Amino acid sequence: MPHTLPNLPYELNALEPHISAQTLSFHHGKHHQAYVTNLNNLIQNTDLADKSLEEIIQLTAKNPEKMGVFNNAAQVWNHTFFWNCMKPQGGGAPTGDLKDLIDQAFGSYEKFAADFKQAAVTQFGSGWAWLVAEKGNLRIMKTANADLPMVHGATALLTCDVWEHAYYLDFQNRRPDYVDTFLNHLVNWDFATSLLTSM
Ligand code: MN3
């Protein structure tokens, strides 16, 4: 079964004025679609063709000869995950179990937000900032290019795409402002909370 581009969980203009419909149109319709198309082309008629996305990622992560497959498969997964990490009128501090876990791990939501922003703005070049669960504890991780927590034994709870294509049309070079906007107006804590059961 070829991999397919999932629909966005909201309308293209749903995250305005923070992320424009133009950005989402290119980011989902062009970039995410291209990773799906590349992945399908790379795995057709190979022993990876009938594997799940997660299986492909794990099977190719440590194989330099399969780096092209890994990069595209991981970027398909990362983007689908990222769309779910945002919602209209999102952002701010979480509540409930996730609030308690963040307070426990970082001391406060404010400290978490500062550390997450630091990871996102200091990821040199393209990559991702993450909140992950690892051995029952929460921590922040940053990864380069397509790399992702699942191949490092961690469970992703939240991510922010810091590739330039994620923010350049709306923020130009101002990655710190984009990350602030993500944290203050877009984060979907309901989604992150729904993942706590898999910790
Ligand atoms: Mn992207």
Side-chain angles (χ1 to χ4, degrees):
M1 274 286 287
H3 298 269
T4 55
L5 180 70
N7 290 327
L8 285 173
Y10 30 72
E11 297 298 317
L12 281 177
N13 63 0
L15 304 183
E16 292 188 339
H18 309 298
I19 291 183
S20 65
Q22 188 189 22
T23 288
L24 274 190
S25 171
F26 275 94
H27 200 175
H28 176 257
K30 304 293 187 191
H31 291 276
H32 195 178
Q33 177 65 68
Y35 298 126
V36 172
T37 302
N38 292 341
L39 175 63
N40 285 329
N41 288 338
L42 286 164
I43 64 174
Q44 67 180 347
N45 305 319
T46 76
D47 55 3
L48 295 172
D50 61 354
K51 299 281 194 268
S52 73
L53 189 59
E54 287 79 5
E55 286 172 330
I56 293 170
I57 290 168
Q58 294 290 3
L59 287 166
T60 59
K62 307 231 158 39
N63 184 347
E65 289 176 15
K66 295 287 183 187
M67 189 178 286
V69 177
F70 171 77
N71 283 339
N72 283 284
Q75 284 292 77
V76 171
W77 192 95
N78 289 343
H79 283 86
T80 301
F81 189 82
F82 176 55
W83 307 136
N84 283 294
C85 288
M86 300 185 288
K87 67 173 187 178
Q89 280 90 50
T95 55
D97 289 349
L98 197 49
K99 177 194 186 304
D100 295 342
L101 287 166
I102 282 179
D103 287 349
Q104 197 182 314
F106 302 98
S108 66
Y109 168 77
E110 289 69 27
K111 182 64 165 63
F112 154 77
D115 289 358
F116 187 90
K117 181 180 178 182
Q118 176 72 6
V121 302
T122 59
Q123 170 52 41
F124 185 77
S126 296
W128 301 81
W130 306 85
L131 174 66
V132 303
E134 192 174 23
K135 299 187 178 80
N137 295 312
L138 300 197
R139 70 178 183 93
I140 286 164
M141 176 183 273
K142 58 181 176 177
T143 60
N145 300 317
D147 193 18
L148 71 176
M150 72 170 77
V151 300
H152 301 284
T155 301
L157 300 177
L158 184 76
T159 195
C160 183
D161 185 347
V162 296
W163 285 57
E164 281 190 347
H165 66 225
Y167 59 88
Y168 213 85
L169 292 174
D170 297 325
F171 296 89
Q172 291 77 51
N173 62 322
R174 293 177 287 112
R175 190 192 288 188
D177 292 352
Y178 158 69
V179 177
D180 280 338
T181 298
F182 174 83
L183 288 167
N184 294 333
H185 299 288
L186 296 171
V187 170
N188 182 354
W189 286 119
D190 298 332
F191 176 65
T193 300
S194 76
L195 301 170
L196 290 176
T197 51
S198 54
M199 270 174 67

